[in-house]
Amino acid sequence: MKYDISYMTTEAVSLLKSLISIPSISREETQAADFLQNYIEMAGMQTGRKGNNVWCFSPMFDLKKPTILLNSHIDTVKPVNGWRKDPFTPREENGKLYGLGSNDAGASVVSLLQVFLQLCRTSQKYNLIYLASCEEEVSGKNGIESVLPGLPPVSFAIVGEPTEMQPAIAEKGLMVLDVTAYGRSGHAARNEGDNAIYKVLNDIAWFRDYRFPKESALLGPVKMSVTMVNAGTQHNVIPDRCTFVVDIRSNECYTNQELFDEIRKHIACEAKARSFRLGSSHVSPEHPLVKKAVAMGRTPFGSPTLSDQALMSFPSMKIGPGKSSRSHTADEFIFVKEIEEAIALYLDLLDGATI
């Protein structure tokens, strides 16, 4: 079937401009969700809503068919310092559309929606669900995690994030540790107290130097970074407590629980994981949709950045317009041409696909 890519691009860009003009910082997406839900319903589709997550099913949904989920997120980070333009005023200049969330991940939100609205009116061997989720930037529990259990079984997901339309078939997970050492306070001028800072030094060095043996072909090794240290109340008091934070990016060779259990064998301080829920994800290069993407000239890779893929229990592929390095930056933008190319590529990938 021939699709009017030019018309779909115009619609997508117009919708993206509207979404940019509605602030949708994580956990404050209500107005953006309202607007998007109304847009989808005006297109003749029935919607579902939970919190600020909005979704719709393809007409004639058939549980005997496999289901593909098209997902991206409507929330944004807060504007960083350095914006020379108003982050909430969409501006189109020299082929670029500027605005907060234009690249991450508004372009994916609107491109996937236009593709959904076209494909769900065609005959395919699968069902489609379109889901615009919230709280992705903060991995919030009221985001996609709250919706997935209530949806029909999903066989595969396309996750829209800025990847230059290259397919990420693996993604690093995240675990954050709070590590604490306890000592005894005393006066710094006298030989008293037990300095908690000295108790963390060996453990911090261990996190810096240790390498987990299993490395991923796509994601490389597990990466551990001590990112925050806190201790002391004033210069002349021996600190009785020292805490530090470790950012751990897991590969698909380990679960977060496995990493935590191994870490506890090596350190002397008390360690607590904030969560084990954001695991690494991986889909086989032999999956039909991955193979189709490769046949279209796309190059699979492993992504170091986290997305809603981490909360999916089914195979998924992260692919979308834009560039990851533009995310969370001042004067964020997307090329209009990238949206046009994304729509065409999504249609080529999904029209007639088998899973």
Side-chain angles (χ1 to χ4, degrees), residues 53-288:
N53 304 282
V54 178
W55 66 86
C56 52
F57 294 1
S58 51
M60 307 300 290
F61 196 95
D62 183 357
L63 284 172
K64 294 176 185 175
K65 292 181 178 180
T67 295
I68 297 177
L69 174 69
L70 306 181
N71 164 246
S72 192
H73 64 92
I74 59 172
D75 63 312
T76 72
V77 296
K78 294 178 181 177
V80 297
N81 293 327
W83 275 85
R84 293 167 296 175
K85 308 172 189 296
D86 180 352
F88 303 111
T89 300
R91 290 182 60 176
E92 196 172 338
E93 298 174 2
N94 301 318
K96 298 177 181 178
L97 176 57
Y98 290 90
L100 181 63
S102 55
N103 179 78
D104 184 17
S108 291
V109 169
V110 298
S111 298
L112 284 170
L113 179 56
Q114 293 305 316
V115 169
F116 171 83
L117 292 173
Q118 290 293 319
L119 284 181
C120 73
R121 294 179 168 94
T122 66
S123 178
Q124 302 291 340
K125 296 177 181 178
Y126 55 81
N127 305 302
L128 278 175
I129 300 176
Y130 174 81
L131 169 60
S133 50
C134 66
E135 297 192 8
E136 188 273 346
E137 295 289 3
V138 293
S139 300
K141 294 201 172 186
N142 292 321
I144 195 170
E145 189 176 28
S146 70
V147 175
L148 291 178
L151 297 181
V154 173
S155 301
F156 192 84
I158 300 289
V159 180
E161 290 279 353
T163 70
E164 301 178 78
M165 290 306 290
Q166 302 297 343
I169 63 170
E171 178 185 272
K172 281 199 168 181
L174 170 65
M175 178 171 58
V176 179
L177 298 186
D178 293 297
V179 187
T180 306
Y182 299 95
R184 188 177 70 258
S185 60
H187 198 297
R190 295 190 291 269
N191 187 25
E192 58 186 38
D194 184 13
N195 197 321
I197 292 176
Y198 298 154
K199 294 189 172 188
V200 305
L201 297 179
N202 287 339
D203 285 354
I204 288 175
W206 180 85
F207 280 110
R208 179 193 64 199
D209 297 333
Y210 185 76
R211 299 292 179 266
F212 282 91
K214 296 178 188 175
E215 295 195 10
S216 163
L218 286 163
L219 298 173
V222 174
K223 187 174 189 299
M224 301 193 291
S225 305
V226 175
T227 54
M228 300 173 69
V229 181
N230 188 46
T233 55
Q234 56 193 65
H235 79 89
N236 57 356
V237 177
I238 299 295
D240 63 354
R241 188 170 180 269
C242 182
T243 63
F244 64 94
V245 176
V246 191
D247 177 292
I248 300 171
R249 304 290 168 153
S250 52
N251 60 28
E252 79 277 15
C253 304
Y254 301 93
T255 66
N256 284 336
Q257 179 72 61
E258 287 171 339
L259 293 176
F260 182 72
D261 291 344
E262 185 64 21
I263 288 166
R264 289 184 67 185
K265 295 176 185 175
H266 293 271
I267 64 173
C269 298
E270 174 186 283
K272 292 182 180 177
R274 295 183 187 178
S275 167
F276 295 122
R277 55 195 270 272
L278 302 173
S280 175
S281 61
H282 177 262
V283 61
S284 170
E286 298 303 310
H287 190 283

Side-chain angles (χ1 to χ4, degrees), residues 336-350:
V336 172
K337 190 75 177 171
E338 290 175 314
I339 294 175
E340 181 179 33
E341 290 170 352
I343 289 171
L345 281 163
Y346 281 140
L347 286 169
D348 284 348
L349 178 66
L350 291 167

